[in-house]
Amino acid sequence: MELTLQQVALCLGTHSEEPELRARGWSIDSRTIAPGDLYFALRGDVHDGHAFIDVALNAGAIAAIAETVGPKILTVPDSLSALQQLAAWARAHWGGTVVGVTGSAGKTSTKDAIAHLLAVAMPVGRTVGNFNNHIGLPLSILRIPDGAQAAVLEMGMNHAGEIRALAAWAKPDIGVVTNVGYAHVEFFDSIEGVALAKRELIEALPAQGTAVLNADDERVVRYREVYSGRTVTYGFSAEADVRGEMLEGNRFRCLGSFYETQLTGRHAISNILAGIAVAQVFGIAPGLLVDAVRSLEPGKMRGERMTHNGITILNDCYNSNPAAARAMLDALAAEKATRRIAVLGEMLELGGRTEPLHRDIGRYAAESGMDVLIALRGAASFMADEAKKVGMSDGAAYFFEDPADAGRFLKQIARPGDAVLFKGSRGVHAERALEAFTDDIGGAAA
């Protein structure tokens, strides 16, 4: 959105020396300032944005929102609160429809699928990447293009009450919940606590809104019991309103139309079904979505498919949790390959359930027919140990503390015809194993 500094100042109860100037972009990072941006000087745990105000202004920012006084500064008591307040004001004055997306796994991919499918019928804004918290969401709101008729906004959380706060700023008209799993369970007493926190999105919807719920997740589908407005369910369940039927390969059928996708795995098609369901809410005919589904591409490190020296690689290194790890193991098991090798990193933020949940994934990998399991860092050692307990040999299950060491080892054992999955929580940097594996092997994207 573009706003004049006068509009910004009036909203925040401050003063601008150049009220006629228009902010054409919004930034909290002086390193990425584009001419015409308005810079918010936020105080962080490591850096204080106030130290970079001059850098931002010299890079082309028209002004700064800051807790200090100076030329081209709109002075406020709290820069973060100002960002959130301005975003809420902008949302209230923008005339489009907001689709909020949350879930324990697949939020970003589902958000991208929804936005991609809606774009066949209207201009759409979306969260860039996974800017989904108390800072990223307000920025995403301000970055909605003025001409957009819909905006698809991702909403993440670590604690109860966070989605409620995000929804208060975003005012979603449609709420999409992908699943409830053990992501971030470290901060909750139980998975039921996670379910209640995710439900905050549905509780925030207006009476005339729509809840779009995954029929394949028993916790999610129960949200319709607490929402008086319209609900639309999606999934592979026979009871789903928008029901997908898997066909051969990466083809599926839904609402009488046949689709083919570049994305890998049943879970990826579930994300697309969410997009088809939201398109139905907007009145977009299923047949109009066929080409959009075909052209939908995976995000960076989110199920990207590559080949190197005849070896198929599934790069899903962006993040991991138990549900997501299982889904990608299913995708790897479905690959036509001589051997299937899973390189799985530690799953973070699991709290007191860390060991049993890692053991569960190790057992699932073995029982899914993985030929080799390479576990990366910390608690992932429980994966390798459990895989051996249920039948994998010592020569098939390995543990490495350093992802690069794992990649170099994999280089020695992988052969043409193999399929390899790389996956791990963001802090594990499983991509370093992939980089070490491919650093001297020529290859091209499949």
Side-chain angles (χ1 to χ4, degrees):
M1 300 182 191
E2 290 191 9
L3 299 175
T4 65
L5 291 187
Q6 182 176 30
Q7 289 174 302
V8 173
L10 287 173
C11 172
L12 301 180
T14 186
H15 171 72
S16 170
E17 297 172 351
E18 301 176 286
E20 74 285 354
L21 292 182
R22 299 186 69 84
R24 294 181 168 83
W26 313 88
S27 178
I28 61 170
D29 189 341
S30 62
R31 298 167 298 180
T32 60
I33 291 289
D37 281 358
L38 181 61
Y39 173 67
F40 291 85
L42 304 185
R43 299 186 190 277
D45 295 334
V46 178
H47 299 293
D48 185 346
H50 290 76
F52 304 98
I53 291 174
D54 288 342
V55 175
L57 294 175
N58 290 334
I62 60 169
I65 304 290
E67 301 159 21
T68 188
V69 177
K72 295 190 174 183
I73 292 177
L74 281 68
T75 304
V76 295
D78 185 303
S79 298
L80 176 57
S81 294
L83 169 63
Q84 296 163 346
Q85 181 180 337
L86 184 61
W89 181 89
R91 164 62 181 114
H93 288 78
W94 173 67
T97 300
V98 167
V99 181
V101 182
T102 195
S104 295
K107 292 185 294 295
T108 301
S109 297
T110 300
K111 173 262 301 179
D112 288 338
I114 294 169
H116 188 74
L117 298 193
L118 292 183
V120 305
M122 67 193 76
V124 180
R126 73 175 83 181
T127 301
V128 176
N130 66 335
F131 273 38
N132 62 19
N133 64 8
H134 63 295
I135 298 173
L137 181 85
L139 279 172
S140 295
I141 293 172
L142 290 170
R143 290 170 176 172
I144 297 171
D146 286 302
Q149 296 176 24
V152 188
L153 303 178
E154 181 178 335
M155 299 182 181
M157 65 91 193
N158 290 325
H159 299 85
E162 290 180 338
I163 288 179
R164 186 177 298 112
L166 300 180
W169 303 321
K171 298 292 184 188
D173 304 286
I174 299 169
V176 181
V177 185
T178 62
N179 46 55
V180 171
Y182 283 97
H184 309 303
V185 74
E186 173 185 7
F187 306 107
F188 294 89
D189 293 334
S190 68
I191 194 170
E192 296 305 328
V194 177
L196 289 173
K198 296 296 184 186
R199 200 178 75 182
E200 291 172 8
L201 172 58
I202 304 306
E203 293 169 346
L205 295 175
Q208 67 274 22
T210 304
V212 178
L213 307 174
N214 184 354
D216 299 328
D217 188 306
E218 62 180 14
R219 292 183 178 88
V220 171
V221 78
R222 286 205 301 267
Y223 293 167
R224 61 188 173 187
E225 299 170 4
V226 301
Y227 180 54
S228 61
R230 178 188 179 190
T231 61
V232 176
T233 59
Y234 70 91
F236 300 101
S237 167
E239 289 75 35
D241 299 317
V242 177
R243 180 173 179 261
E245 180 184 353
M246 295 292 294
L247 303 174
E248 184 179 357
N250 55 355
R251 298 176 62 249
F252 66 99
R253 176 167 50 204
C254 180
L255 300 179
S257 293
F258 292 84
Y259 301 91
E260 184 172 6
T261 178
Q262 303 177 53
L263 307 188
T264 299
R266 182 183 176 95
H267 66 291
I269 292 178
S270 179
N271 297 340
I272 295 172
L273 293 176
I276 295 173
V278 174
Q280 293 301 290
V281 177
F282 280 86
I284 303 172
L288 296 178
L289 304 173
V290 173
D291 289 341
V293 169
R294 185 181 298 112
S295 63
L296 183 62
E297 298 180 349
K300 184 175 176 60
M301 296 195 295
R302 298 178 188 273
E304 289 182 291
R305 178 185 292 270
M306 306 161 58
T307 57
H308 284 275
N309 270 17
I311 298 168
T312 299
I313 293 174
L314 302 180
N315 177 0
D316 204 63
C317 294
Y318 188 82
N319 214 340
S320 189
N321 59 58
R326 279 175 169 257
M328 286 308 298
L329 285 169
D330 289 343
L332 180 58
E335 287 290 323
K336 294 179 180 179
T338 306
R339 295 184 306 167
R340 297 165 184 84
I341 302 173
V343 182
L344 301 179
E346 182 179 17
M347 301 176 294
L348 304 178
E349 298 183 351
L350 298 181
R353 295 191 59 83
T354 294
E355 179 176 344
L357 289 173
H358 280 85
R359 288 192 177 279
D360 180 65
I361 294 301
R363 186 182 316 112
Y364 193 77
E367 294 172 349
S368 299
M370 297 298 107
D371 296 285
V372 179
L373 170 63
I374 298 176
L376 304 179
R377 215 190 79 168
S381 63
F382 297 122
M383 293 184 192
D385 182 63
E386 189 68 20
K388 293 174 187 177
K389 282 187 176 181
V390 298
M392 264 194 170
S393 69
D394 288 345
Y398 304 89
F399 171 74
F400 291 87
E401 192 63 46
D402 184 344
D405 288 343
R408 287 187 284 269
F409 171 75
L410 179 62
K411 190 186 302 185
Q412 298 173 20
I413 68 169
R415 302 190 296 264
D418 290 346
V420 185
L421 165 67
F422 292 85
K423 186 167 184 63
S425 281
R426 187 82 299 271
V428 176
H429 297 289
E431 68 274 12
R432 293 175 184 169
L434 173 56
E435 291 163 2
F437 175 60
T438 60
D439 66 353
D440 63 353
I441 300 177

